[in-house]
Amino acid sequence: MSNTRKTVIVTGASQGIGAGIVRAFVARGDNVVATSRKVTQSTEVAASDRVALVDGEIGEPTTAAKVVETALSRFRSIEALVNNAGIFFTKPFTEYTVRDFELLSETNLQGYINITQLAVKQMLAQKTGGSITGITSAMVEHPIAGVNASVPMITKGGLEAITRSLAMEYAKDGIRFNAVAPGIVDTPMHATDPDEFLKSLSPMGVISDVDDIVEAIVYLAEARHVTGEVLHVDAGAHNGKW
């Protein structure tokens, strides 16, 4: 556990896992720049002397630039980035549209690239290393029958691939790249889904809560010798049939 205050950027920060990540790093004494489309209207995070809020679509390069500018003007450095922003929806493969793919790619892939490129440039300039964590899905490795998420998994699988590539590319610079792959999590995304159905999607018959995912993210941000890792927090779903 680090005793040095860091500056952490968190995308998709207005609710659920993102808001939980913000609270966790603030509780550890870190500074946070939190961003999402309407994070300033969030009831789960609030601006303070150690929390800066930036509204905007992370798929837009101008939003990423504003986030990094805010981090540097308010807190003077960037030590960690958590790419939590993402969208997900299911439908049969033949019903996904070109626009569906564009929307998924804009947030899940382009959003990751926009902010990560700028964060890496700053970390290289600082010469003190850093941590970048993405959020993927247990279904990249283990699809679930009846959960038709083929096209979203193209984007999540891409995040796992770039995590491993960048971990190697920047290993000598001390910039670590990892990802957390959640299973079913109790977030607003599943607010209307019956608990028993959600539990059936877990080998352990449990639903993870936000803190389960946040703990994994905080661990990866601090694990000095862990890079290129995809940490599954899915009650074993990635292991196979249950």
Side-chain angles (χ1 to χ4, degrees):
M1 179 175 172
S2 173
N3 292 319
T4 303
R5 178 175 292 183
K6 302 185 300 295
T7 299
V8 184
I9 294 172
V10 181
T11 71
S14 62
Q15 62 179 358
I17 293 171
I21 297 166
V22 173
R23 291 191 295 267
F25 281 111
V26 170
R28 292 167 63 83
D30 295 325
N31 301 315
V32 178
V33 180
T35 183
S36 73
R37 285 177 296 174
K38 297 180 179 179
V39 71
T40 56
Q41 299 176 29
S42 172
T43 59
E44 297 186 40
V45 296
S48 70
D49 60 333
R50 287 196 287 115
V51 178
L53 305 180
V54 178
D55 286 337
E57 294 277 0
I58 199 61
E60 295 291 335
T62 53
T63 299
K66 185 176 179 182
V67 170
V68 169
E69 289 166 5
T70 300
L72 297 179
S73 64
R74 282 283 302 271
F75 307 122
R76 307 299 178 188
S77 65
I78 300 170
E79 282 73 38
L81 163 63
V82 182
N83 282 295
N84 175 69
I87 60 174
F88 173 86
F89 50 87
T90 62
K91 60 174 67 175
F93 171 66
T94 54
E95 294 181 14
Y96 280 104
T97 65
V98 170
R99 184 54 185 152
D100 288 338
F101 181 65
E102 289 173 346
L103 289 170
L104 288 159
S105 299
E106 285 168 9
T107 299
N108 298 359
L109 297 178
Q110 191 62 55
Y112 181 100
I113 293 169
N114 291 341
I115 192 71
T116 301
Q117 284 183 326
L118 296 178
V120 168
K121 287 179 182 178
Q122 179 60 29
M123 290 174 183
L124 289 172
Q126 292 168 188
K127 301 184 186 305
T128 54
S131 168
I132 295 177
T133 307
I135 308 295
T136 66
S137 169
M139 288 195 296
V140 168
E141 291 191 12
H142 189 84
I144 298 173
V147 181
N148 300 320
S150 57
V151 176
M153 289 308 106
I154 295 174
T155 65
K156 293 299 187 179
L159 292 178
E160 292 196 6
I162 198 171
T163 293
R164 296 186 178 100
S165 293
L166 292 176
M168 190 61 69
E169 184 173 344
Y170 291 101
K172 293 273 193 285
D173 300 294
I175 304 174
R176 299 179 299 102
F177 292 81
N178 295 291
V180 173
I184 298 299
V185 184
D186 184 12
T187 67
M189 183 182 294
H190 295 295
T192 61
D193 296 324
D195 278 359
E196 289 307 309
F197 167 71
L198 295 177
K199 289 177 181 178
S200 75
L201 303 179
S202 160
M204 295 175 66
V206 297
I207 304 171
S208 299
D209 61 29
V210 165
D211 287 343
D212 293 319
I213 311 305
V214 170
E215 287 170 6
I217 291 166
V218 171
Y219 163 72
L220 291 172
E222 296 293 343
R224 295 183 304 135
H225 296 161
V226 178
T227 191
E229 184 68 31
V230 177
L231 178 56
H232 291 84
V233 185
D234 61 1
H238 68 287
N239 285 321
K241 183 176 175 60
W242 61 92

